[in-house]
C-alpha cells in the first residue's frame, strides 16, 4: 500500500508543480476580471477583454516562432545543443517583444484608451512575451521550478494590485493596466539575473541569421497552425466586437470566466508536457509516450468535469459572485453551456496536438486546422448577422469539432509510422 501511494505521489508531483504556478497567476487574473466586471461598465470591460484576447493571440506568435520549436531543437541536439541557435531564439524574442509593444499600444489608443494606460498595456503584453519564452526555456533545460516561481511572483504582484483596486473602488485603465505590467515585470525578474543577462541582451545580426533554418523547418508551419487555430477558436471575439461592438462581446467574455479553470489546466500542462514528450519521441520510447498521453488526457478531462461542477454552482445558484446586474443571467447560462462543449473538444485533442508539436510535426498540425478555420469564420459571421452574437459560438463549436477529428487522424497516422521508422518521419 505504501509503495503504491509513493508511486502515485511520484507520478502526480510533477503535474502539481507544473500547475501550481499557472494556477496562482491565472487565479489572480481571474479575480482581476471579476473585480473589473463589477467596477467597469460593460463597454469598458468589453474593451479590456478584447485587448486581453488580442494580447494572448499576439503572445501566441512567440509560441509559434520560438516556444514550440525550442524543445524540439534542444531534444534532437541532446546535450550538445547548439548554443548559438538558442541565443538566436532569444534575440528574435526581443525583436518580437518590441513589435508587440508598438502594436498593442496603438490598438489600445485606437479603442479610446489614453496614451499612458495604452502604453502600460503594451508594456504588459511585451514583457509577458519575454517571460513566456523564458518559461519555455527553463522547461526545456529541466528547471520547471523556475517557471513556477516566475508565475507565482507575477501572480502575487498582480494580487497586490487587485487589492488596491478593490480597496479604492477605482477600476480605471491606468490602475488595471499598470498593475498588469508590474506583474509581468515581476515574473520576468524572478528568473534571476543570470537568466536575464542572457534573455535581455541585444542580438547580433550573425546570430539572427541562424533563425532561417528554424523558420523553414518549424516556425513557418507553426505560425500557419497558430493563425488557423486562432481563427477556429476565437473568430467570435473579433467578429462580434467588429460587427456588434464591445458591449456585445462583454457578455461572452464574462461567461468565459466560468471555464477559466479548464483553460488554466490545458495551458499549464501543455507547456509542461511538450518538452517531456519531445525527449521521449527523440529517444523512441513509445510505451512511455502512450502512458504520458493517457495520463495527460485523464487529468484534462477531470479538470473539465471539475469546471462543469463549479460553473453550474456559480451560474445557477450564485451568479452574483461573478456577474453584476448589467448582464442577462439567461444569456450567460446559455453561453456557459456552449463554452463547455467547445472546451471539451479542445481538451480531448490537446494531448495529440502537443505530441505533434513535440515531434516537430508542425506542418501536418497546421493543415489540420486550415479547413476548420474557414468553416468557423463563415459560420461565426453568418450567426452574428442572422441570430446574434451568442450563437456565433456555434460556429466556433463546429470548427473545433472538425479540427479535433483532423488532429486525431493525423496523430494516429504519425504514431503508427513513427513506430515503423524514424521518430521524425514527415507525413505527406
Amino acid at each position: 500500500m505504501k509503495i503504491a501511494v509513493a508511486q502515485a505521489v511520484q507520478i502526480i508531483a510533477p503535474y502539481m508543480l507544473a500547475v501550481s504556478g499557472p494556477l496562482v497567476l491565472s487565479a489572480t487574473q481571474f479575480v482581476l476580471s471579476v473585480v473589473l466586471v463589477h467596477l467597469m461598465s460593460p463597454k469598458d470591460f468589453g474593451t479590456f477583454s478584447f485587448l486581453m484576447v488580442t494580447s494572448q493571440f499576439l503572445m501566441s506568435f512567440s509560441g509559434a516562432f520560438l516556444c514550440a520549436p525550442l524543445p524540439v531543437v534542444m531534444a534532437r541536439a541532446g546535450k550538445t545543443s547548439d548554443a548559438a541557435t538558442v541565443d538566436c531564439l532569444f534575440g528574435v524574442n526581443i525583436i518580437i517583444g518590441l513589435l508587440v509593444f508598438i502594436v498593442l499600444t496603438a490598438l489600445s489608443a485606437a479603442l479610446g484608451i489614453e496614451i499612458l494606460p495604452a502604453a502600460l498595456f503594451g508594456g504588459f503584453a511585451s514583457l509577458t512575451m519575454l517571460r513566456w519564452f523564458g518559461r519555455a526555456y527553463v522547461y526545456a533545460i529541466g528547471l520547471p521550478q523556475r517557471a513556477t516561481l516566475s508565475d507565482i511572483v507575477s501572480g502575487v504582484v498582480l494580487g497586490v494590485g487587485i487589492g488596491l483596486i478593490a480597496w479604492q473602488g477605482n477600476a480605471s485603465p491606468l490602475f488595471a493596466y499598470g498593475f498588469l505590467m508590474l506583474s509581468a515585470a515581476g515574473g520576468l525578474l524572478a528568473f534571476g539575473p543570470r537568466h536575464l543577462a542572457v534573455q535581455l541582451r541585444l542580438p547580433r545580426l550573425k546570430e539572427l541569421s541562424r533563425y532561417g533554418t528554424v523558420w523553414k523547418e518549424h516556425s513557418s508551419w507553426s505560425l500557419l497552425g497558430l493563425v488557423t487555430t486562432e481563427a477556429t477558436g476565437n473568430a467570435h471575439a473579433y467578429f462580434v466586437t467588429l460587427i456588434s461592438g464591445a458591449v456585445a462581446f462583454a457578455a461572452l467574455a464574462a461567461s468565459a470566466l466560468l471555464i477559466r479553470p479548464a483553460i488554466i489546466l490545458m495551458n499549464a500542462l501543455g507547456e509542461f508536457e511538450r518538452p517531456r514528450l519531445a525527449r521521449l519521441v527523440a529517444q523512441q520510447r513509445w510505451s512511455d509516450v502512450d502512458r504520458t498521453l493517457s495520463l495527460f488526457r485523464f487529468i484534462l478531462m477531470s479538470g473539465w468535469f471539475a469546471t462543469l461542477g463549479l460553473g453550474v454552482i456559480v451560474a445557477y445558484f450564485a451568479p452574483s459572485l461573478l456577474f453584476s446586474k448589467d448582464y442577462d443571467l439567461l444569456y450567460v447560462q446559455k453561453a456557459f453551456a456552449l463554452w463547455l462543449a467547445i472546451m471539451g473538444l479542445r481538451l480531448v485533442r490537446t494531448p495529440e496536438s502537443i505530441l505533434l508539436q513535440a515531434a516537430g510535426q508542425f506542418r501536418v498540425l497546421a493543415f489540420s486546422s486550415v479547413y476548420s478555420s474557414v468553416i468557423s469564420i463563415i459560420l461565426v459571421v453568418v450567426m452574428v448577422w442572422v441570430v446574434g452574437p451568442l450563437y456565433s459560438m456555434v460556429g466556433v463549436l463546429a470548427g473545433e469539432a472538425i479540427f479535433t477529428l483532423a488532429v486525431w487522424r493525423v496523430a494516429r497516422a504519425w504514431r503508427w509510422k513513427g513506430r515503423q521508422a524514424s521518430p521524425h518521419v514527415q507525413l505527406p
Side-chain angles (χ1 to χ4, degrees), residues 12-26 28 131-132 134-140 142-157 183 186-192 268-269 271-272:
I12 296 298
Y15 289 95
M16 295 298 294
L17 177 64
V19 171
S20 59
L23 182 62
V24 171
L25 178 56
S26 296
T28 53
R131 193 182 77 82
W132 201 249
R135 292 179 83 259
Y137 179 70
V138 295
Y139 269 128
L143 295 173
Q145 63 274 15
R146 290 196 181 181
T148 299
L149 177 62
S150 174
D151 290 339
I152 290 175
V153 170
S154 186
V156 169
V157 172
S183 72
L188 189 60
L189 291 173
F191 287 122
L269 292 188
E271 292 297 316
F272 173 74

Side-chain angles (χ1 to χ4, degrees), residues 26-365:
S26 296
T28 53
Q29 291 179 344
F30 174 80
V31 174
L32 175 64
S33 296
V34 173
V35 170
L36 296 184
V37 82
H38 282 281
L39 294 179
M40 282 182 168
S41 68
K43 181 181 183 301
D44 288 340
F45 182 73
T47 300
F48 164 78
S49 300
F50 179 71
L51 284 173
M52 290 296 288
V53 169
T54 305
S55 70
Q56 289 164 5
F57 171 60
L58 291 178
M59 192 174 71
S60 297
F61 271 90
S62 174
F65 281 110
L66 307 167
C67 298
L70 177 65
V72 179
V73 172
M74 296 184 73
R76 291 186 185 182
K79 294 181 180 179
T80 60
S81 62
D82 189 347
T85 300
V86 176
D87 288 342
C88 161
L89 296 181
F90 276 114
V92 174
N93 194 41
I94 290 283
I95 295 172
I96 295 175
L98 292 173
L99 292 175
V100 165
F101 171 77
I102 295 170
V103 170
L104 263 297
T105 300
L107 178 61
S108 301
L111 291 173
I113 298 173
E114 294 181 359
I115 189 61
L116 178 55
L120 290 174
F121 189 84
F124 156 71
S126 179
L127 292 175
T128 298
M129 178 165 291
L130 297 179
R131 193 182 77 82
W132 201 249
F133 181 70
R135 292 179 83 259
Y137 179 70
V138 295
Y139 269 128
I141 62 176
L143 295 173
Q145 63 274 15
R146 290 196 181 181
T148 299
L149 177 62
S150 174
D151 290 339
I152 290 175
V153 170
S154 186
V156 169
V157 172
L158 184 58
V160 172
I162 293 170
L164 291 173
I165 290 173
W167 177 56
Q168 294 185 350
N170 186 347
S172 70
L174 181 65
F175 282 173
Y177 301 155
F179 284 118
L180 278 170
M181 193 189 80
L182 287 175
S183 72
L188 189 60
L189 291 173
F191 287 122
R194 188 174 178 182
H195 175 86
L196 290 176
V198 175
Q199 182 162 357
L200 300 182
R201 71 174 179 79
L202 293 177
R204 288 181 288 222
L205 185 61
K206 185 177 180 180
E207 292 174 348
L208 294 177
S209 65
R210 289 177 170 267
Y211 186 72
T213 301
V214 178
W215 168 261
K216 183 178 179 181
E217 293 184 358
H218 305 301
S219 297
S220 58
W221 298 111
S222 181
L223 178 61
L224 175 62
L226 163 67
V227 173
T228 53
T229 299
E230 179 73 9
T232 300
N234 282 326
H236 70 290
Y238 303 101
F239 287 106
V240 168
T241 302
L242 292 174
I243 296 173
S244 303
V247 174
F249 179 62
L252 295 180
S255 65
L257 295 174
L258 295 169
I259 63 163
R260 185 67 66 84
I263 295 174
I264 295 170
L265 191 65
M266 180 181 70
N267 293 338
L269 292 188
E271 292 297 316
F272 173 74
E273 291 290 15
R274 187 184 295 113
R276 183 158 74 163
L277 282 169
R279 289 190 291 270
L280 293 177
V281 169
Q283 297 165 10
Q284 302 189 52
R285 293 164 56 184
W286 299 112
S287 59
D288 289 334
V289 168
D290 292 339
R291 280 193 294 269
T292 299
L293 292 179
S294 296
L295 182 58
F296 192 3
R297 196 185 325 278
F298 173 77
I299 295 175
L300 289 177
M301 295 315 298
S302 298
W304 184 88
F305 282 107
T307 300
L308 169 63
L310 290 172
V312 167
I313 292 172
V314 173
Y316 291 89
F317 299 101
S320 61
L321 290 176
L322 292 185
F323 310 109
S324 68
K325 295 180 180 179
D326 294 320
Y327 296 92
D328 182 343
L329 182 56
L330 181 59
Y331 189 101
V332 169
Q333 291 169 345
K334 290 179 179 179
F336 172 55
L338 289 168
W339 277 123
L340 277 175
I342 291 168
M343 203 65 219
L345 289 171
R346 290 177 182 172
L347 294 178
V348 165
R349 76 157 183 269
T350 291
E352 278 72 22
S353 294
I354 296 298
L355 172 64
L356 291 171
Q357 292 175 26
Q361 302 296 306
F362 298 106
R363 179 176 179 271
V364 294
L365 189 57

